[in-house]
Amino acid sequence: MARRTAALINVLADDRPAPATVAEVLRAFGETGSIDLAPRDVAQMRTAAALLREVFAADHVDDAAETLNRLLREHAGHLRLTSHGGSAPWHPHLDHDDNGPWGEWLLASSCLALTVLVWDHQRPPGSICASPSCRNVFITQGSGPERRYCSRRCATRERVAAHRRSRSNEQPGRTK
């Protein structure tokens, strides 16, 4: 669910994401059935994604927790279990009802997923790509060294750019 959150935040960062593109991301992360998103739904989801981006911008676990607590207080309902009328396994929801607006669902379900990561790992659940040309969010809960980039592609692009900058700043060592 947290990876779905990151993918939705990234696709919703575009100025005018097409409802079909957002629906593709939802399907890729397990949504089934008809996903009829109107431009108004996408606009509400973009607002939710902008709020969720604040969690990924947190440098410290305390900041991430404070942001999540604020979002939960201001935008979530009571914790409840749902099976969507028997069409899905039982799972938790924090939105106000199963047929609520997409933006409310995105914000509440994402806060729940990110809260679990903070609770479980005691660190911010994600980050924003360090590449100035990217700015995608990503989940940082894997093992290994701390990630700065959302993908190998961004890391490689930045490493190559830094190498080229250093080469262009070098003084020629030989004269002919």
Side-chain angles (χ1 to χ4, degrees):
M1 297 298 105
R3 292 193 196 305
R4 178 201 64 203
T5 296
L8 285 168
I9 290 171
N10 292 337
V11 76
L12 291 163
D14 290 341
D15 286 336
R16 296 178 193 256
T21 303
V22 177
E24 285 176 25
V25 173
L26 290 168
R27 279 190 201 88
F29 285 90
E31 287 297 317
T32 59
S34 177
I35 301 174
D36 297 320
L37 294 173
R40 181 175 157 229
D41 296 321
V42 173
Q44 290 172 351
M45 292 175 82
R46 287 189 76 229
T47 300
L51 292 170
L52 291 164
R53 183 175 281 277
E54 296 174 34
V55 179
F56 288 85
D59 290 327
H60 190 271
V61 66
D62 294 346
D63 299 327
E66 184 178 308
T67 301
L68 282 165
N69 281 335
R70 178 178 49 81
L71 293 175
L72 287 164
R73 183 177 55 253
E74 294 174 1
H75 301 284
H78 295 287
L79 182 64
R80 64 189 174 81
L81 290 168
T82 183
S83 68
H84 299 283
S87 65
W90 286 100
H91 59 280
H93 266 238
L94 282 174
D95 51 354
H96 292 96
D97 84 38
D98 287 352
N99 297 316
W102 280 101
E104 179 185 310
W105 165 83
L106 173 60
L107 191 53
S109 65
S110 297
C111 281
L112 180 58
L114 298 175
T115 295
V116 169
L117 289 180
V118 169
W119 174 21
D120 196 35
H121 298 283
Q122 296 297 304
R123 62 182 188 223
S127 191
I128 298 174
C129 187
S131 173
S133 64
C134 177
R135 308 310 291 160
N136 277 344
V137 301
F138 59 97
I139 301 299
T140 58
Q141 298 299 318
S143 60
E146 183 178 334
R147 287 177 53 193
R148 295 184 53 226
Y149 300 100
C150 67
S151 66
R152 287 182 186 169
R153 189 179 90 195
C154 277
T156 299
R157 182 177 58 238
E158 292 303 314
R159 188 173 56 248
V160 168
H163 176 72
R164 287 181 179 155
R165 280 191 302 273
S166 71
R167 298 269 321 235
S168 69
N169 292 334
E170 290 178 1
Q171 297 296 323
R174 295 187 221 173
T175 59
K176 290 187 179 184

